[in-house]
Amino acid sequence: MKPSLPSLATLLLTAALTGASAQTAPTTPAAPAQTAPAAPAKPVPAASYVALGDMYFNQGKYDMAYVAYRAAAQLEAQNPRALLGLGRSQTKLRLYGPAIETLRRLISVDATSISGYIALSQAYQQQYVQTSDLASVARNLELAQNVLTQAQTVAQSQTGTDRDLNLSKIWNERGYVYRLQGQITQAIEAFKQANTLNPDNSVVLYNLGDMYYVSGDLPQALNYLQQAVIADPTDPYNRAYYGKLLALSGNVTAARPEAAQAAKLAPTNAYAVGQYGVVSYLAKDPVQARTQLNAALRLDPLRYPEFYYYLGRLNLDANDLKAARDALTRAAALGSTNPEYLYYLGLSFERSNTVSPSDRVKARENYERALKLSPNYKLAQDGLNRVK
């Protein structure tokens, strides 16, 4: 059997990785005069590397996308598509400083690039979220908003259908920044602006529903999540979140098929699978809840502290205190700003059985941590009073 030929993508990526060394390699001796010279190899155009980068980026292969975009940018230093792809891939790889530099360069090359402004704002946001030393990125969210203000000025000068679409993208991104700034009302208003400009966009509808839930307005959250599901029935995130909110509202009859459908649509999506577990717990189906929550945590053990929390609640209900403490400790570690996780962790230490004795010191510590986050949290205050 003949060996298979390498794909075009492999050839291009190999060229990108080895191009620099090839340029400095020694030349071979000149051929005899009577031999016709070989035709010089045709250089690979930057556009081919950009297309390769786009393919890898869309597949989630950000390291390979980075190599391809970098090769394109080296060939054409002012290629807007190369710079945009390079900056985005650098952000995905958490190379935030280089990403910000690349995207600033893009805007200097093409001051009309709405995608460039939005990508730069996202790089500032991600650097803020991922950096443990917040003092070093204290101005990032302000800078993110400033970049969006520049983008808005550009978009407002546009005409045609692109104007409203671009303004919708900018307002949607503003909503994300406002949320990071803790400005819930402003975030809702920003997402409303985005929704007005682009009413059938499921991402914007999801964001509105999410922010109304954060604000404590469950009916409005359900309203917008339902619209998001209608706008894109195949999106597992919309349907899974909608199912959970239905269950939290007490309508478990409607919630269960929505959650089950989300998990069916995306059986390897940890969020969809885990929310089916959450809905099952709220519907008092512990067997299904445990199956789905464990499956979700196998798919992604670090992203969703909520699933450890509900697994801990399941174990607490079953009086398996050791397993409850393990799960709730993970929930509290991954979701350290959630007072409810800390309260139930404290409760698991307050309780005792024949295998796991009570630990009132740890119970008190976690009740106090919960109250520090939420001073009016009555359950935590009652727990603290019990173990003092």
Side-chain angles (χ1 to χ4, degrees):
M1 180 183 294
K2 293 182 180 179
S4 60
L5 293 174
S7 67
L8 176 61
T10 303
L11 290 171
L12 286 174
L13 194 60
T14 302
L17 290 166
T18 60
S21 61
Q23 291 172 7
T24 58
T27 58
T28 56
Q34 67 272 20
T35 304
K42 188 176 181 180
V44 178
S48 295
Y49 285 119
V50 171
L52 180 62
D54 290 345
M55 181 189 76
Y56 283 130
F57 192 92
N58 291 332
Q59 292 174 350
K61 299 176 181 177
Y62 303 120
D63 52 345
M64 300 175 78
Y66 165 76
V67 172
Y69 288 131
R70 185 182 63 181
Q74 287 172 340
L75 287 169
E76 295 182 8
Q78 294 191 332
N79 185 313
R81 287 187 60 200
L83 293 172
L84 178 62
L86 180 59
R88 283 174 167 172
S89 60
Q90 287 169 323
T91 299
K92 290 290 187 181
L93 294 171
R94 301 189 178 186
L95 302 171
Y96 300 119
I100 289 169
E101 181 181 344
T102 298
L103 293 166
R104 281 176 173 168
R105 182 150 51 101
L106 165 60
I107 291 170
S108 70
V109 168
D110 182 3
T112 66
S113 176
I114 299 298
S115 295
Y117 289 110
I118 290 175
L120 179 55
S121 176
Q122 290 169 342
Y124 281 126
Q125 292 173 63
Q126 287 303 307
Q127 186 181 46
Y128 178 85
V129 170
Q130 298 295 336
T131 303
S132 57
D133 180 14
L134 288 180
S136 66
V137 292
R139 292 194 63 235
N140 270 43
L141 299 183
E142 177 189 348
L143 292 170
Q145 291 284 29
N146 290 344
V147 167
L148 293 173
T149 298
Q150 295 174 52
Q152 192 169 339
T153 300
V154 173
Q156 285 172 336
S157 68
Q158 295 175 333
T159 58
T161 56
D162 285 349
R163 181 181 185 276
D164 284 355
L165 179 60
N166 285 331
L167 285 170
S168 174
K169 292 177 181 178
I170 293 164
W171 279 110
N172 186 63
E173 202 63 39
R174 278 200 189 280
Y176 292 137
V177 183
Y178 280 131
R179 177 167 185 167
L180 288 173
Q181 291 173 318
Q183 300 180 41
I184 306 303
T185 301
Q186 290 90 331
I188 289 173
E189 289 305 314
F191 289 133
K192 277 185 175 181
Q193 289 278 2
N195 176 242
T196 299
L197 292 160
N198 193 1
D200 296 323
N201 186 282
S202 66
V203 173
V204 176
L205 291 166
Y206 176 98
N207 290 336
L208 260 175
D210 182 42
M211 289 312 305
Y212 272 115
Y213 176 61
V214 170
S215 74
D217 190 339
L218 185 54
Q220 279 286 58
L222 279 167
N223 172 40
Y224 282 105
L225 260 297
Q226 184 182 43
Q227 291 183 53
V229 171
I230 293 169
D232 188 355
T234 64
D235 187 294
Y237 290 96
N238 295 343
R239 196 174 290 273
Y241 197 8
Y242 179 52
K244 181 178 78 169
L245 294 188
L246 282 170
L248 290 172
S249 73
N251 191 354
V252 293
T253 302
R256 295 190 72 171
E258 295 289 350
Q261 179 65 12
K264 184 179 179 180
L265 284 167
T268 60
N269 183 305
Y271 181 80
V273 172
Q275 292 301 348
Y276 187 19
V278 172
V279 169
S280 298
Y281 176 82
L282 296 171
K284 304 187 186 306
D285 184 349
V287 175
Q288 183 70 272
R290 189 176 297 277
T291 297
Q292 298 301 133
L293 290 168
N294 281 324
L297 292 169
R298 284 193 298 270
L299 288 167
D300 193 335
L302 298 176
R303 186 175 299 180
Y304 300 110
E306 177 186 23
F307 301 156
Y308 285 110
Y309 164 71
Y310 278 102
L311 190 60
R313 292 285 303 271
L314 271 171
N315 293 324
L316 199 59
D317 294 345
N319 202 33
D320 185 348
L321 296 181
K322 182 179 184 306
R325 291 170 184 175
D326 288 345
L328 291 165
T329 296
R330 288 174 180 260
L334 292 171
S336 59
T337 61
N338 190 311
E340 196 170 13
Y341 298 170
L342 293 164
Y343 165 72
Y344 277 96
L345 179 57
L347 187 62
S348 72
F349 281 113
E350 181 184 352
R351 292 182 180 177
S352 65
N353 59 23
T354 56
V355 177
S356 304
S358 175
D359 188 331
R360 295 171 71 86
V361 173
K362 288 186 177 178
R364 183 174 67 249
E365 288 174 352
N366 284 290
Y367 289 146
E368 288 173 343
R369 290 171 63 197
L371 285 167
K372 187 174 182 180
L373 290 169
S374 180
N376 297 321
Y377 193 177
K378 187 176 185 305
L379 288 175
Q381 184 61 62
D382 292 344
L384 184 59
N385 294 339
R386 290 193 302 268
V387 297
K388 274 185 175 179

